Each structure stands twice: as C-alpha cells, then as structure tokens.
Amino acid sequence: MRMTTERIESLAAEYVLGSLHGRARRRFERWMMESGRVRQEVWYWEQKLGQLSAEVPAVEPPKSTWRAIERRLWPQTADSVERAGSGLRWLWPSWSLVATAAAVVLAVLIVQQPVSAPQLSGAIVQADVSDPLWLVSESGPDRLLKLRSVAASAADTGKDYELWIVPEEGQPLSLG
C-alpha cells in the first residue's frame, strides 16, 4: 500500500468518522501502529471532527421519517406490517386501559376488606368450682389480652392471683 499524503488523510478521516469497516479498518489500525505519521493524521482528524460533535446537538428524527426510510428500503415488509397492524391498532391501548382499571378496582377492594384476626377467648376456673372466675379474650387489631372478672373475689391477704398458660403439651408458662 502506497503511503501518499492524500491517501493517509482520507483513510484517517474515514477511520475517525467510523465509515471505515471490516478488513480495511483492521489493516488501517495495523498501519497506524507502524507509522507515526498516520497516528498524527488520525489525531488531527479527531481534534478537528471532535469539535464539530460538541457544537451540534443530537436531534431525534420523527417516526414518520423512519417509516418512510423503511418503506423505501424494504417495501414488501413495510406494506405487510402496516396492513396487519392497522386492523388491531386500537386493541392494545384499549386492552391496557381495561387492565389498568381492573387493577385499580381490585386494589380498592383489597384495601377496603377488613383483616380479621383470629379471636382468642378462654376462661379461668378454679379446680373445685365449675363457674369461671375470669373471662379472657383477645382484642381485635391491638392483639391485647382482656381479662374480665365474672365471679372472682379479692385475693386473701398476702396472696395474689397469677395467670398461667397451660399448653396441651409441654410445661405450663406463667404470665404473671
């Protein structure tokens, strides 16, 4: 390959612009590694073209432009896609609207349903008496135990009532 000034300039500019592809790009990269003059020309074009990219803001072309380009490049594919999609174009927006409304209604119904905690209740009895002394129940959302005296009398002097849980299996547990 002859290293003429014009050839180095044009290849360096194409390399920096990104329009040099495939084997030609790899060959130019090897040439750039071997020659300082080629590297200097690449650096020059990077500096010169790099300033242009900083000054020009990025602009997204309208979708109609892209569709027109696709129609020109692939006329058969673009026509078949437009024909197939035109009949169902209304389906997806309306379906997403219905699904969103259903999700909102379901969320409202779930939030309005009260969460029912299991209610616990029991009685405290004395071994030789059949009537309960105390009724024990759990308050709803607070999950606190409530004790209500039914037939209990005041404890004797020097004595106190004590609350125990007696599970079906295992040792009794004192609650105080």
Side-chain angles (χ1 to χ4, degrees), residues 52-59:
L52 292 177
S53 66
E55 294 172 7
V56 179
V59 176

Side-chain angles (χ1 to χ4, degrees), residues 122 124 132-137 146-152:
I124 301 172
L133 299 174
W134 299 81
L135 291 178
V136 181
S137 64
K146 290 185 177 181
L147 296 173
R148 193 175 89 202
S149 172
V150 176

Side-chain angles (χ1 to χ4, degrees), residues 60-120:
E60 184 70 27
K63 290 185 179 186
S64 61
T65 304
W66 284 119
R67 277 184 284 206
I69 291 171
E70 288 174 348
R71 244 183 270 121
R72 271 188 261 150
L73 292 174
W74 304 285
Q76 297 85 12
T77 309
D79 289 342
S80 63
V81 168
E82 281 183 14
R83 270 187 261 120
S86 63
L88 300 175
R89 190 169 287 154
W90 60 271
L91 178 66
W92 290 114
S94 59
W95 173 249
S96 64
L97 183 63
V98 169
T100 302
V104 168
V105 168
L106 185 62
V108 168
L109 289 176
I110 289 174
V111 168
Q112 288 183 346
Q113 293 292 326
V115 178
S116 60
Q119 295 290 322
L120 301 176

Side-chain angles (χ1 to χ4, degrees), residues 128-156:
D128 55 349
V129 180
S130 63
D131 291 334
L133 299 174
W134 299 81
L135 291 178
V136 181
S137 64
E138 176 191 15
S139 67
D142 299 336
R143 299 198 52 115
L144 299 173
L145 286 179
K146 290 185 177 181
L147 296 173
R148 193 175 89 202
S149 172
V150 176
S153 58
D156 296 334

Side-chain angles (χ1 to χ4, degrees), residues 38-57:
V38 174
R39 283 192 303 271
Q40 186 175 8
E41 191 66 32
V42 169
W43 179 81
Y44 167 78
W45 281 106
E46 284 175 345
Q47 295 301 316
K48 189 168 189 162
L49 296 175
Q51 294 171 357
L52 292 177
S53 66
E55 294 172 7
V56 179

Side-chain angles (χ1 to χ4, degrees), residues 22-38:
R23 287 183 13 195
R25 185 175 184 87
R26 288 191 297 273
R27 192 174 335 136
F28 183 77
E29 287 172 345
R30 279 195 310 268
W31 193 19
M32 196 169 48
M33 298 303 255
E34 296 169 0
S35 172
R37 186 169 146 207
V38 174

